[in-house]
Short mmCIF file of all heavy atoms in Angstrom, two decimals:
data_model
loop_
_atom_site.label_atom_id
_atom_site.label_comp_id
_atom_site.label_asym_id
_atom_site.label_seq_id
_atom_site.Cartn_x
_atom_site.Cartn_y
_atom_site.Cartn_z
N PHE Y 73 56.09 90.11 52.30
CA PHE Y 73 57.24 89.39 52.91
C PHE Y 73 56.77 88.60 54.12
O PHE Y 73 57.32 87.49 54.33
CB PHE Y 73 58.28 90.50 53.37
CG PHE Y 73 59.40 89.91 54.14
CD1 PHE Y 73 60.37 89.18 53.44
CD2 PHE Y 73 59.54 90.01 55.51
CE1 PHE Y 73 61.52 88.60 54.11
CE2 PHE Y 73 60.64 89.51 56.18
CZ PHE Y 73 61.60 88.80 55.46
N TYR Y 74 55.87 89.10 54.88
CA TYR Y 74 55.38 88.41 56.06
C TYR Y 74 54.19 87.52 55.72
O TYR Y 74 53.36 87.83 54.82
CB TYR Y 74 54.96 89.39 57.17
CG TYR Y 74 56.10 90.32 57.63
CD1 TYR Y 74 56.16 91.65 57.26
CD2 TYR Y 74 57.12 89.75 58.41
CE1 TYR Y 74 57.25 92.45 57.72
CE2 TYR Y 74 58.17 90.55 58.87
CZ TYR Y 74 58.23 91.88 58.49
OH TYR Y 74 59.32 92.63 58.91
N GLY Y 75 54.15 86.37 56.43
CA GLY Y 75 53.04 85.39 56.18
C GLY Y 75 53.29 84.07 56.75
O GLY Y 75 54.39 83.86 57.36
N GLY Y 76 52.40 83.15 56.66
CA GLY Y 76 52.52 81.88 57.22
C GLY Y 76 53.63 81.00 56.59
O GLY Y 76 54.20 80.16 57.24
N HIS Y 77 53.93 81.23 55.32
CA HIS Y 77 55.06 80.58 54.60
C HIS Y 77 55.98 81.60 54.04
O HIS Y 77 55.55 82.74 53.73
CB HIS Y 77 54.44 79.70 53.50
CG HIS Y 77 53.39 78.79 53.90
ND1 HIS Y 77 53.53 77.76 54.77
CD2 HIS Y 77 52.05 78.75 53.51
CE1 HIS Y 77 52.37 77.07 54.94
NE2 HIS Y 77 51.45 77.69 54.22
N GLN Y 78 57.23 81.23 53.89
CA GLN Y 78 58.15 82.14 53.23
C GLN Y 78 57.71 82.33 51.77
O GLN Y 78 57.28 81.39 51.08
CB GLN Y 78 59.53 81.56 53.26
CG GLN Y 78 60.27 81.57 54.58
CD GLN Y 78 61.76 81.36 54.53
OE1 GLN Y 78 62.43 82.10 53.88
NE2 GLN Y 78 62.20 80.30 55.15
N ALA Y 79 57.89 83.57 51.28
CA ALA Y 79 57.62 83.85 49.92
C ALA Y 79 58.80 83.20 49.13
O ALA Y 79 59.85 82.88 49.59
CB ALA Y 79 57.60 85.36 49.66
N TRP Y 270 54.07 71.56 52.02
CA TRP Y 270 54.18 72.14 53.31
C TRP Y 270 54.37 71.09 54.44
O TRP Y 270 53.62 70.12 54.45
CB TRP Y 270 53.02 73.07 53.65
CG TRP Y 270 52.77 74.19 52.69
CD1 TRP Y 270 51.64 74.40 51.99
CD2 TRP Y 270 53.68 75.18 52.27
NE1 TRP Y 270 51.81 75.48 51.17
CE2 TRP Y 270 53.07 76.00 51.34
CE3 TRP Y 270 55.03 75.45 52.61
CZ2 TRP Y 270 53.66 77.07 50.75
CZ3 TRP Y 270 55.65 76.57 52.03
CH2 TRP Y 270 55.00 77.34 51.11
N THR Y 285 57.18 73.11 61.20
CA THR Y 285 55.76 73.12 60.78
C THR Y 285 55.43 74.36 60.02
O THR Y 285 55.66 75.47 60.49
CB THR Y 285 54.83 72.97 62.02
OG1 THR Y 285 55.16 71.78 62.74
CG2 THR Y 285 53.33 72.94 61.64
N GLY Y 286 54.95 74.17 58.80
CA GLY Y 286 54.63 75.36 57.94
C GLY Y 286 55.75 75.64 57.04
O GLY Y 286 55.62 76.53 56.13
N GLY Y 287 56.87 74.97 57.16
CA GLY Y 287 58.02 75.18 56.26
C GLY Y 287 57.98 74.22 55.09
O GLY Y 287 57.01 73.59 54.87
N CYS Y 427 63.72 75.09 54.88
CA CYS Y 427 63.24 76.49 54.88
C CYS Y 427 62.13 76.58 55.93
O CYS Y 427 61.04 75.98 55.69
CB CYS Y 427 62.75 76.85 53.48
SG CYS Y 427 64.03 76.73 52.21
N PRO Y 428 62.38 77.24 57.00
CA PRO Y 428 61.37 77.33 58.06
C PRO Y 428 60.16 78.11 57.60
O PRO Y 428 60.17 78.71 56.52
CB PRO Y 428 62.10 78.05 59.20
CG PRO Y 428 63.12 78.80 58.53
CD PRO Y 428 63.63 78.02 57.31
N PRO Y 429 59.08 78.12 58.37
CA PRO Y 429 57.83 78.81 57.99
C PRO Y 429 58.12 80.31 57.87
O PRO Y 429 59.24 80.82 58.17
CB PRO Y 429 56.88 78.51 59.08
CG PRO Y 429 57.71 78.09 60.26
CD PRO Y 429 58.90 77.44 59.66
N GLY Y 430 57.11 81.03 57.43
CA GLY Y 430 57.29 82.53 57.17
C GLY Y 430 57.44 83.28 58.48
O GLY Y 430 57.19 82.83 59.56
N LEU Y 431 57.85 84.52 58.25
CA LEU Y 431 57.98 85.46 59.37
C LEU Y 431 56.66 86.19 59.67
O LEU Y 431 55.98 86.55 58.71
CB LEU Y 431 59.07 86.45 59.15
CG LEU Y 431 60.53 85.91 59.27
CD1 LEU Y 431 60.88 84.82 58.27
CD2 LEU Y 431 61.51 87.10 59.11
N SER Y 432 56.33 86.33 60.93
CA SER Y 432 54.96 86.77 61.27
C SER Y 432 54.85 88.28 61.20
O SER Y 432 53.82 88.81 60.79
CB SER Y 432 54.61 86.34 62.68
OG SER Y 432 55.53 86.79 63.62
N ALA Y 433 55.90 89.02 61.61
CA ALA Y 433 55.81 90.50 61.66
C ALA Y 433 57.16 91.06 61.91
O ALA Y 433 58.12 90.31 62.15
CB ALA Y 433 54.81 90.89 62.74
N ASP Y 436 60.24 89.43 64.08
CA ASP Y 436 60.43 87.95 63.84
C ASP Y 436 61.64 87.81 62.93
O ASP Y 436 62.05 88.76 62.24
CB ASP Y 436 59.14 87.39 63.18
CG ASP Y 436 59.19 85.86 63.26
OD1 ASP Y 436 60.07 85.28 63.87
OD2 ASP Y 436 58.22 85.27 62.71
N TRP Y 437 62.23 86.65 63.00
CA TRP Y 437 63.39 86.41 62.15
C TRP Y 437 63.50 84.96 61.72
O TRP Y 437 62.77 84.11 62.21
CB TRP Y 437 64.68 86.89 62.79
CG TRP Y 437 64.87 86.54 64.27
CD1 TRP Y 437 64.33 87.22 65.34
CD2 TRP Y 437 65.60 85.44 64.87
NE1 TRP Y 437 64.66 86.64 66.52
CE2 TRP Y 437 65.43 85.54 66.26
CE3 TRP Y 437 66.32 84.33 64.28
CZ2 TRP Y 437 66.02 84.61 67.14
CZ3 TRP Y 437 66.89 83.45 65.22
CH2 TRP Y 437 66.75 83.59 66.57
N TYR Y 438 64.30 84.70 60.72
CA TYR Y 438 64.40 83.31 60.14
C TYR Y 438 64.78 82.32 61.21
O TYR Y 438 65.87 82.38 61.83
CB TYR Y 438 65.47 83.36 59.03
CG TYR Y 438 65.09 84.18 57.82
CD1 TYR Y 438 65.83 85.35 57.57
CD2 TYR Y 438 64.09 83.88 56.95
CE1 TYR Y 438 65.49 86.16 56.47
CE2 TYR Y 438 63.73 84.67 55.84
CZ TYR Y 438 64.51 85.78 55.64
OH TYR Y 438 64.19 86.57 54.54
N GLY Y 439 63.98 81.32 61.35
CA GLY Y 439 64.27 80.25 62.27
C GLY Y 439 64.21 80.58 63.74
O GLY Y 439 64.83 79.92 64.61
#
Side-chain angles (χ1 to χ4, degrees):
F73 178 73
Y74 297 107
H77 308 294
Q78 288 195 61
W270 303 124
T285 300
C427 299
L431 282 65
S432 59
D436 195 4
W437 42 278
Y438 295 109

